[in-house]
Amino acid sequence: MKPLATLVALVALVLAPGPAAADDMRFLEDDYRSPQNFAFELRLGPYYPAVDDELATAEPFRETFGDNSRLRIGLEFDWQFLSTPVGSLGVGVAAGLMRFVGNSRFEGSGERSSEETTLNVFPIVASVVARLDFAMREWQVPLVLYGKAGVADYLWFVEDGSGKAHADGPSGRPDAVIGQEDTFGVELASGIAFLLDFLEPGAARKLDADSGVNHSYLFLEVLVASIDGLGERDVMIFSDTTWNTGLLLEF
Amino acid sequence: MATALDSPAKLARARGATCGDLAERRLAPHLLAGFGVRWVLPIALLAAPLSASGQALSVDSTEFRRANDDIDPEDTQQTEGDPRRVDEVDGINLNECERSENWHYEVTTSGYSGNTLFVYTGSNCSDQASRDSTGEDCKVIERITLGTNSSELHEIDLGANEIANIDGEDCEALDDNLRVWFLVLSAEGDETPIASASSPTASDIRVLTVPPAAPSNLTTGAGESRAEVDWEGAVEGEHYYVACSPQPGAQVSPSATEPTADAEGQEVCSGAAPTTGFEAGATFDRRWRCDQPSDETLFADGLAAQSATVDGLENEAQYHFAAVAVDDVGNPSVLSEIACATPRPVEDFFEAYRRAGGRGGGGICGVTPGARAPDGAAAAIVLGLAALLSRRRR
């Protein structure tokens, strides 16, 4: 698996004698940095929701949008309300965006038409975030392990060539059901963040002094999203197990 | 806006003007009533001080107007100005040149008594060498003898072909940048004007009567009550219309046969278009536009314009489509090659999902009647956010 191989190589690289001398890394100590209370993440990764899992045999999602994952992008803001010698604990809110575009099919023949249909998904997540940065602070190892757990609400709507899509109601009433809703679920994520300050300690010190950004990281995480309505049955399912990468700033 | 000119009145009177000029002038104070004025753009006359005798003359501002704003129902070539920007002075196209559409100017003069206001067309008529008798560079198209009134308003209507066609030939194959020049001279051969101005000041008048090339590689795709039309060959500065046969909203009969496609997936036209003359290479008829003139949804603009979606079509009926390029002065190309599409009902993703047994949908919780929400999870999010805000305030 490529992400794992990349991760192993990254770990080997950073554990080897690095470019930053011990003196250079003194800014990691509290006395040499500005207060730190928040974190901001910009993330992206592939996503392929298990919409068809709800259905017995039919695969309308795969038939419309194909087999390939789409890009999921997102932002997250954390408040690190507790700082301990081991690490920090925080709560965060995140919002994201996914868009699946395909072609509607002609009724009867099933051939693809030139009319596009789109599934738009906006995940909103409230989570608890734990970061273990003692190794970084105590031994100047530029790696931080972290984990997240949260509740998520995936808002979604479907568009056809004329706007919001509708389908016939259970009683056969035409266009009685609008193609939009939200699906609740839980998300768990765990990953490793590489401290970019390690590469350019001087620049990191200047960034902290100028803008209050204490640390910047590149991260790679595994995301397990169980978005199945938390027991509700009449929902569209968006579950997936995937990975994310992105940039993290602590300030 | 008034531009002050210093000019020797004594010299002007000495140069004089012939009474014969009066017979040639076209003072048209009431002509506007006969034209629907589409737009008005104030143009400042640039007047150059020519001497300093101490006696002032002035040339007031003029207005630049475009006449003939109404569509002539008999003129099927007229593109009605949609490609134009009404806040720009653009140019003269082939149709306007052939129709000799009127351009209206208002020129106010003061204190040039006895001299003559000459109206030239050309690229640079301030230079006497360009105003020579050959008329190759500049052609005089008006002569107005200036009277003794302290201020005179001259309303001058010039035919587009007069402005565009300095060689006096027909309107075909012209490609020039011109200006209309207003020169106060004592006589036509004078080297130095007493006063001069050109209009428009912002840019030249583009005279272009060579139609653009038609778009190429037209393809179509059908949807429900709609069709997408794609083409290639878009050029910066051009605009594009899509032409339809039959028109959206027209009474049509369902196709007798199922649509068939060629090897590349393009639907094959089952016969000739129902509109007479609607064929590749035909001269554009503005009545063939898929949209109404006031509807710009099919007004594809610029280099990126390579497709348009035509709505309002009848399902199960075959439509013929063509694309037309329109250059920046309104010359339309001939019709591109013809492509066909037969709109049919489609099933979007949500319809397919529901037909397959999917139970999602119906509205966002709390917004659409009948939708449900998992109260516990929603409450957890709300409480979490409230706790976060509460702690931050402390």
Side-chain angles (χ1 to χ4, degrees):
Chain A
M1 188 174 172
K2 276 186 179 177
L4 276 180
T6 306
L7 188 60
V8 170
L10 190 63
V11 170
L13 175 69
V14 300
L15 291 181
D23 275 358
D24 292 336
M25 302 302 286
R26 288 177 60 200
F27 70 95
L28 294 174
E29 299 166 14
D30 289 345
D31 292 344
Y32 290 87
R33 61 190 180 98
S34 61
Q36 176 183 318
N37 299 104
F38 305 102
F40 173 80
E41 287 184 11
L42 172 65
R43 61 177 61 246
L44 54 87
Y47 205 92
Y48 192 87
V51 174
D52 292 336
D53 284 4
E54 176 192 354
L55 311 169
T57 55
E59 296 181 309
F61 185 88
R62 189 186 63 78
E63 289 172 358
T64 305
F65 304 117
D67 295 318
N68 296 327
S69 299
R70 302 298 202 277
L71 180 67
R72 169 176 170 161
I73 59 173
L75 303 172
E76 179 173 327
F77 180 79
D78 298 341
W79 171 41
Q80 297 173 334
F81 62 86
L82 182 62
S83 181
T84 73
V86 178
S88 66
L89 192 64
V91 292
V93 290
L97 170 66
M98 292 180 273
R99 197 159 188 261
F100 301 85
V101 182
N103 289 87
S104 300
R105 293 179 180 270
F106 287 119
E107 291 181 0
S109 70
E111 298 170 1
R112 283 189 184 277
S113 74
S114 67
E115 185 171 323
E116 287 188 344
T117 179
T118 308
L119 171 62
N120 301 280
V121 188
F122 304 94
I124 299 172
V125 186
S127 56
V128 177
V129 185
R131 300 183 194 278
L132 305 177
D133 58 5
F134 65 93
M136 178 189 79
R137 288 192 286 180
E138 296 299 323
W139 307 318
Q140 286 77 51
V141 174
L143 294 173
V144 173
L145 298 171
Y146 65 90
K148 299 178 184 178
V151 291
D153 188 14
Y154 280 41
L155 293 86
W156 60 269
F157 65 89
V158 180
E159 292 175 298
D160 59 16
S162 336
K164 287 275 179 66
H166 290 75
D168 296 345
S171 59
R173 194 155 59 95
D175 292 342
V177 183
I178 188 171
Q180 71 176 34
E181 205 181 31
D182 59 329
T183 305
F184 281 90
V186 296
E187 282 192 1
L188 300 173
S190 181
I192 187 167
F194 171 66
L195 180 66
L196 293 174
D197 309 0
F198 177 76
L199 300 178
E200 285 289 344
R205 277 195 300 270
K206 188 171 189 308
L207 185 64
D208 189 7
D210 292 346
S211 63
V213 174
N214 303 94
H215 307 300
S216 54
Y217 305 84
L218 282 178
F219 65 85
L220 181 67
E221 71 182 20
V222 174
L223 170 68
V224 178
S226 178
I227 313 299
D228 56 3
L230 295 176
E232 290 289 324
R233 295 178 59 195
D234 296 342
V235 296
M236 192 178 285
I237 295 174
F238 290 95
S239 301
D240 191 23
T241 298
T242 183
W243 57 271
N244 282 322
T245 186
L247 178 68
L248 163 66
L249 302 176
E250 287 181 324
F251 56 97
Chain B
M1 186 179 77
T3 305
L5 286 179
D6 294 328
S7 179
K10 192 181 297 182
L11 175 61
R13 283 194 297 273
R15 286 171 173 169
T18 65
C19 292
D21 292 334
L22 286 171
E24 294 184 47
R25 79 168 63 168
R26 280 209 278 172
L27 298 177
H30 304 296
L31 280 181
L32 271 184
F35 301 111
V37 176
R38 184 161 63 197
W39 49 282
V40 178
L41 181 66
I43 298 296
L45 284 175
L46 294 179
L50 299 173
S51 68
S53 69
Q55 191 166 5
L57 296 175
S58 68
V59 177
D60 271 348
S61 66
T62 184
E63 282 186 322
F64 170 75
R65 296 187 184 185
R66 184 79 181 283
N68 290 358
D69 66 325
D70 295 328
I71 280 288
D72 179 354
E74 301 301 319
D75 178 12
T76 59
Q77 305 306 305
Q78 197 170 2
T79 51
E80 209 229 343
D82 295 56
R84 315 292 187 85
R85 302 293 186 231
V86 295
D87 57 348
E88 291 177 0
V89 177
D90 38 34
I92 295 171
N93 61 36
L94 176 60
N95 185 49
E96 292 162 344
C97 183
E98 290 179 336
R99 287 166 51 87
S100 195
E101 191 169 279
N102 279 292
W103 290 47
H104 182 83
Y105 294 90
E106 292 184 357
V107 181
T108 303
T109 58
S110 303
Y112 294 108
S113 174
N115 294 289
T116 303
L117 175 64
F118 287 85
V119 182
Y120 284 88
T121 178
S123 58
N124 182 4
C125 300
S126 62
D127 178 17
Q128 197 275 337
S130 301
R131 303 194 303 269
D132 63 14
S133 57
T134 65
E136 290 178 355
D137 299 323
C138 289
K139 182 179 71 174
V140 61
I141 50 179
E142 286 287 342
R143 296 179 181 83
I144 300 171
T145 301
L146 303 177
T148 57
N149 293 338
S150 58
S151 178
E152 291 181 286
L153 172 66
H154 312 283
E155 298 199 49
I156 304 169
D157 285 283
L158 305 175
N161 61 350
E162 289 182 291
I163 299 172
N165 186 10
I166 63 172
D167 293 333
E169 299 174 355
D170 59 28
C171 289
E172 299 288 338
L174 298 177
D175 187 358
D176 290 311
N177 289 302
L178 303 174
R179 291 189 184 193
V180 177
W181 298 82
F182 303 92
L183 306 179
V184 177
L185 302 170
S186 60
E188 189 162 349
D190 280 359
E191 182 173 344
T192 305
I194 300 167
S196 68
S198 68
S199 176
T201 56
S203 62
D204 293 340
I205 298 171
R206 180 79 193 278
V207 178
L208 181 60
T209 62
V210 182
S216 58
N217 294 339
L218 195 78
T219 58
T220 56
E224 184 168 332
S225 301
R226 69 182 55 214
E228 183 174 313
V229 183
D230 299 271
W231 60 88
E232 296 177 2
V235 175
E236 189 62 48
E238 288 186 356
H239 314 275
Y240 300 89
Y241 292 145
V242 178
C244 294
S245 175
Q247 291 291 296
Q251 290 284 343
V252 294
S253 301
S255 299
T257 57
E258 284 289 310
T260 57
D262 60 19
E264 296 175 345
Q266 172 60 47
E267 184 173 325
V268 177
C269 296
S270 59
T275 306
T276 303
F278 193 96
E279 56 190 22
T283 302
F284 173 61
D285 183 330
R286 65 179 173 81
R287 293 171 298 189
W288 295 343
R289 280 178 59 179
C290 298
D291 56 335
Q292 296 303 307
S294 59
D295 178 5
E296 293 194 354
T297 55
L298 287 184
F299 182 66
D301 191 354
L303 191 60
Q306 301 197 61
S307 68
T309 300
V310 184
D311 291 309
L313 306 178
E314 291 291 328
N315 285 333
E316 312 296 352
Q318 189 176 65
Y319 288 81
H320 292 62
F321 298 96
V324 176
V326 182
D327 64 25
D328 57 1
V329 294
N331 290 301
S333 71
V334 297
L335 293 195
S336 70
E337 57 195 311
I338 307 295
C340 289
T342 302
R344 285 167 285 165
V346 301
E347 187 176 68
D348 62 50
F349 163 67
F350 187 60
E351 290 172 317
Y353 163 79
R354 293 286 296 195
R355 182 175 56 79
R359 289 167 296 195
I364 303 293
C365 59
V367 175
T368 303
R372 87 291 79 79
D375 296 335
I381 291 178
V382 171
L383 288 174
L385 291 174
L388 173 66
L389 292 173
S390 169
R391 291 292 299 269
R392 286 193 64 188
R393 285 200 185 96
R394 275 186 270 157

